[in-house]
Amino acid sequence: MNRQACDALDAADPLASLREQFELPEGVIYLDGNSLGVLPRAAAERVQQVVRDEWGRGLIRSWNSAGWIDLPQRVGDKIGLLIGAAADEVVVADSTSVNLFKVLSAALDLQRADAPQRSVIVSERQNFPTDLYIAESLARERDLELRLVDADEITAQLDDQLAVLMLTHVNYRSGRMHDMAALTRRAHEAGALVVWDLAHSAGAVPVDLNAAEADFAVGCGYKYLNGGPGAPAFAWAHARHTARMDREQMWQPLAGWLGHAAPFEFTSPYRPAPGMARFICGTPPVISMAALECGVDTVLAASPFGGMAALREKSLALTELFIRLVEQRCADQGLTLQTPQEAGLRGSQVSFAREDGGYAIMQALIARGVIGDFRAPDILRFGFTPLYTRFIDVWDAVEHLRQVLESGEWREARFNQRAAVT
Amino acid sequence: MNRQACDALDAADPLASLREQFELPEGVIYLDGNSLGVLPRAAAERVQQVVRDEWGRGLIRSWNSAGWIDLPQRVGDKIGLLIGAAADEVVVADSTSVNLFKVLSAALDLQRADAPQRSVIVSERQNFPTDLYIAESLARERDLELRLVDADEITAQLDDQLAVLMLTHVNYRSGRMHDMAALTRRAHEAGALVVWDLAHSAGAVPVDLNAAEADFAVGCGYKYLNGGPGAPAFAWAHARHTARMDREQMWQPLAGWLGHAAPFEFTSPYRPAPGMARFICGTPPVISMAALECGVDTVLAASPFGGMAALREKSLALTELFIRLVEQRCADQGLTLQTPQEAGLRGSQVSFAREDGGYAIMQALIARGVIGDFRAPDILRFGFTPLYTRFIDVWDAVEHLRQVLESGEWREARFNQRAAVT
């Protein structure tokens, strides 16, 4: 493998043209789409239109005339196409943390009704902290136990005490991917419900929530969905649960007015909207939602080329190449691969641990225009978005990494000054 | 009073130049800034900069280099200047509904610790529904009573059962304003805490939370703060409560990662950030936050002219003129004033009830370019934002209203077709 061969891979890549959807800055190799996706060209135009025309000229009328009121469902339906959800099964609203609070509450409510003796929430010790914090908060309020285990201990926890298994499908640190269908099935056999966080899955790997018969899911708009900084998040529940919530008039706790059955009747008491709409809470941030829609569209643009399956194929090729090149060209540099070599267990990122200097090494890479990120305490993390990442980028990134490590330039003081966000 | 006299009032208005901050569409008299404020010119530019430069070119680096990570506090501090809050006492995050869930939970937690026998939340029957829904949800989960009363019954509820009095400072329907300081004092004398919703107050009327020794407050970014459709909301807590929450390591239930003491250490368990920062939850919608900042700036631009006191003076002059002109020129048209005549009890809006046809009358007005709104079942609502509303607009709006009512044009079928949002 050499740089020319990478060039040839790009020339033969059927997805290559999708890159034209994005505004990629000159001189940057962006391997951080798992933290913040790149700006779609359409988003810049669309946001301006929303601001100048819809807000500026349409004003309050745009809730109807520009369809703002439908945004949570319209964008939700588009995301649904990427995660195996049917129409009306996904809503866009709030943040991932807030949505997790809603769906985990709903799952716990279902178990409280059916099996009140089930008092344990199980999650992964290395799950993204906000997931653990939200679960910890609900466990405190409801006097439940939040039990954190390692990935290989999960199946041992599937017992008659387990209320909800709450997992992130692709781990944010290691990039390791769970088998959603198998774990869901085993959890169901044990009488538990499963909540999946798709933050590093939606737009990154094929997901089929309905085929897996999953119970609840949430996910993030600003990573592989390219929705812009802090883009609203999404929530999904299986139709069997929303149907039951309809029958039994069950709520989710963030019972805001836009999740009401008739929000513009301005009546009390609360009556949850039917189906998934009850998971909407307050008024959505329209400008950020409009940008998110453009981001989701960039992923849907892969549909004529084979959609998520084709993106997955390229993603695996990119991450495999990156792993192979780092192992070849950065050997004996103290990098320990954290991401599974086995394709079926790997998300769309590659992480290496390094005992010391990880933060500074990443800063030195960023100074060279190779943008990945560092996750405390010791993880160098590289995300690969097949929509805009080329094989040549992989080559060049590894070459920069090699030079940073071999030159020792990362030891310079300026790279060791920590910023708040890395 | 005639049109010429209104013109003269505008010519003499020391705040007149503030209107130039806004993009007001041709042919529109906008009396709905209490639902969605007008686009500030600066917002269109700023949003484009955030999208093209900060997101497009800065990418993930902009969390530090463009100060995205500080937005919740930076914009919060600016809002604080308008509501009598000190630096670091206000955070911008999520929606009003979600923030109300946080602060009402916190207030109830404080009472659960101090006076567990207090089991009642009191609010106003005519409070904005989302406030009532959120309180209803918390009351259900915690086995408390939500007691809804009319405004004149509130003081009779201040007893040893009362945990939290939750009120909207200016009522969204009637425009009636509570005496925040007096009610807070009486509630405290009874051992209760008070949560104030400032949705129709922030940027509309002078508010001094610290002078009133209020306990908690939330408010909306997209009304009188001109923050754009669905702009993020804000939350405030008195320093005595956040200090105690610090000492006793108390949480708010939406314990998201950006409310953690050290979010980028990625450690579990949750440790709430000190002070108000614990009320931040997930990643903020940056684009919408940037627009909000421009909106808040339009209100702060009144500072050299006397700030909220000067805006209040003009607001009262506008609403008083509107009331007087409607009573003179639309007499015997079935309009019943819902807003207090007494200036001290009036927010920055005027509402009339009409037994029938209210929706269609508003639609006919909108067709003429006079934009107010209708609130079911019978309220015609007109908001007056002194930053951009002129006395001549008041005259012209009343003239259109008179013509609509006298001509009977509102009876046309097209005005009776209801849209989702009005």
Side-chain angles (χ1 to χ4, degrees), chain B residues 238-314:
Chain B
H238 194 283
R240 67 178 174 273
H241 296 314
T242 48
R244 175 170 172 194
M245 292 178 81
D246 286 349
R247 282 196 308 276
E248 301 181 17
Q249 287 288 298
M250 296 172 83
W251 300 21
Q252 55 89 3
L254 294 171
W257 73 304
L258 285 186
H260 189 275
F264 294 97
E265 286 180 7
F266 299 101
T267 52
S268 179
Y270 184 72
R271 281 184 295 125
M276 203 60 206
R278 60 159 52 73
F279 286 91
I280 304 172
C281 179
T283 311
V286 168
I287 307 175
S288 288
M289 291 274 268
L292 171 60
E293 184 166 18
C294 297
V296 176
D297 286 343
T298 63
V299 188
L300 292 174
S303 303
F305 304 96
M308 284 309 306
L311 289 169
R312 173 65 169 163
E313 192 181 340
K314 181 175 173 188

Side-chain angles (χ1 to χ4, degrees), chain A residues 26-92:
Chain A
E26 283 292 310
V28 164
I29 297 172
Y30 195 64
L31 303 180
D32 211 10
N34 51 340
S35 188
L36 173 63
V38 164
L39 170 63
R41 285 181 202 279
E45 294 299 320
R46 175 75 186 116
V47 165
Q48 200 63 355
Q49 184 188 32
V50 169
V51 171
R52 289 198 189 273
D53 298 345
E54 296 180 9
W55 176 15
R57 283 193 269 278
L59 287 162
I60 192 69
R61 298 169 290 197
S62 290
W63 281 105
N64 290 313
S65 60
W68 290 349
I69 196 69
D70 304 318
L71 275 169
Q73 278 101 345
R74 187 171 80 227
V75 184
D77 279 353
K78 288 185 174 184
I79 293 172
L81 298 172
L82 302 172
I83 57 174
D88 296 327
E89 284 186 359
V90 177
V91 294
V92 173

Side-chain angles (χ1 to χ4, degrees), chain B residues 106-184:
Chain B
L108 292 170
D109 282 351
L110 291 169
Q111 291 288 39
R112 185 159 57 183
D114 291 346
Q117 81 287 359
R118 291 181 178 268
S119 61
V120 177
I121 304 167
V122 164
S123 193
E124 208 177 332
R125 191 169 284 123
Q126 294 291 350
N127 199 347
F128 188 70
T130 214
D131 298 57
L132 302 183
Y133 303 157
I134 292 291
E136 202 181 341
S137 176
L138 279 164
R140 276 165 62 113
E141 180 61 32
R142 298 182 177 212
D143 202 18
L144 303 171
E145 180 193 350
L146 172 62
R147 193 179 295 163
L148 303 184
V149 301
D150 289 335
D152 55 10
E153 299 167 330
I154 291 169
T155 52
Q157 300 295 328
L158 306 177
D159 60 21
D160 60 5
Q161 296 302 301
L162 181 63
V164 176
L165 176 62
M166 180 192 80
L167 293 174
T168 298
H169 182 223
V170 175
N171 186 277
Y172 80 107
R173 291 166 59 87
S174 67
R176 184 193 182 94
M177 183 165 68
H178 286 296
D179 183 335
M180 180 183 288
L183 267 175
T184 299

